[in-house]
Amino acid sequence: MENTNEKKNVVLSLVQASGTPTLGNYLGAFKNWHNMAAENDCIFGVADLHAITVRSEPQDLRRRSIEMYAMLLALGLDPEKNIVFLQSHVTDHALLAWVLNCYTAFGEASRMTQFKDKSQRHADNVNVGLFTYPILMAADILLYGADKVPVGDDQKQHLELARDIAERFNGIYGDVFKIPEPYIGKKGARILSLQEPEKKMSKSDPNVKSFISLADEPNVIAKKIKSAVTDSEARVYYGENKAGINNLMNIYSCCTGLDFDAIEKQFEGKGYGDFKSAVAEAVVEELRPVQEEYKRILSDKAYIEKCAKEGAEKASYLAHKTMRKVMKKVGFYQG
Ligand code: ATP
Ligand code: LTN
């Protein structure tokens, strides 16, 4: 007989409220989130605490947080079955992050490549939050006993740090934290900038032509893909020194399900113009349902508020259970 009480895996991931999400976020993370939602206990959130490592106007952060939250609902993550929440609504994230700070070596935090990149890009505001960012991320994950964390390739190093911190803590205090596994999809794990295809596509890139935003209209998507950097060879195949075309092939493959061989055959004897038109069409079709749902949900502020409130309650309950255990282990007097 089927065991209906079988424990499901806990899947958790967050996305920063640092701008409108891109095609990179969608193919590298959101699509997997959507696919994992049916068979797992899923917890998805907007990382608004992480977002303030980069300065922004309060009203912009508020708007972006709500937009990102609406986007998560638009992906089809059922807020009744899954937990969809905003990180700042659950204060235990900040508390656990502080505790974990004290179990992280300065040297291991200094090795994070994203910190090195971001501190170069935001040289005028290299704050300590930017440095401890991965420790807050470890707290996000460990609070909920996540088994799997679906992320893009760029987050692999942060996941390894979260595992190291958890193992160290467990080594001292016994089995407190579940050791999380990264889940990095085979496809779409690293979508690159359309303008500088050696860099990842990023929503905080100042050059708007470098990314496709999930809010872009079809004509804008087509324009951005048409102006994507390629090479002078005019032959569609996956190969060396073809970073731009490789990236477009990867995008096309994610949207159509075709592998690289099939794509090469489809465009044999055709130029980059035809290929780019096909990529644009595939991206537009892929994003259309999410974009429509996003617009619908965003116009229903009462629904968003209700979901966010319920999400915060459910998340707080789980987080606090872990936090109480941690406080006891560390030796905080609890009366
Ligand atoms: P920023 O660009 O503002 O630094 P980000 O988009 O890199 O932010 P998040 O918004 O927190 O960072 O990322 C959410 C998820 O999207 C993460 O799992 C991340 O790995 C994934 N992701 C981000 N960019 C890409 C990309 N270019 N390709 C694949 N996955 C990506
Ligand atoms: N740092 C992540 C966003 C993030 C996250 C998390 C991802 C914050 N907390 C917990 C997975 C699990 C990023 O993608 N930039």
Side-chain angles (χ1 to χ4, degrees), residues 140 186 205 310:
D140 299 339
K186 284 193 198 78
D205 195 318
E310 285 170 9

Side-chain angles (χ1 to χ4, degrees), residues 20-90:
T20 312
T22 67
L23 185 66
N25 297 130
Y26 180 77
L27 297 176
F30 297 168
K31 223 179 152 175
N32 292 329
W33 298 8
H34 174 81
N35 292 339
M36 294 169 104
E39 285 174 11
N40 300 282
D41 281 335
C42 289
I43 305 174
F44 295 116
V46 177
D48 50 355
L49 295 178
H50 279 103
I52 66 164
T53 51
V54 175
R55 200 71 71 231
S56 66
E57 291 298 325
Q59 65 271 25
D60 289 342
L61 176 62
R62 234 182 324 266
R63 178 183 46 77
R64 284 199 310 260
S65 302
I66 288 299
E67 286 176 357
M68 189 59 89
Y69 188 84
M71 182 57 76
L72 298 189
L73 297 178
L75 297 174
L77 305 174
D78 182 346
E80 297 283 325
K81 293 204 191 107
N82 307 298
I83 297 179
V84 188
F85 76 113
L86 289 122
Q87 187 188 27
S88 66
H89 291 183
V90 182

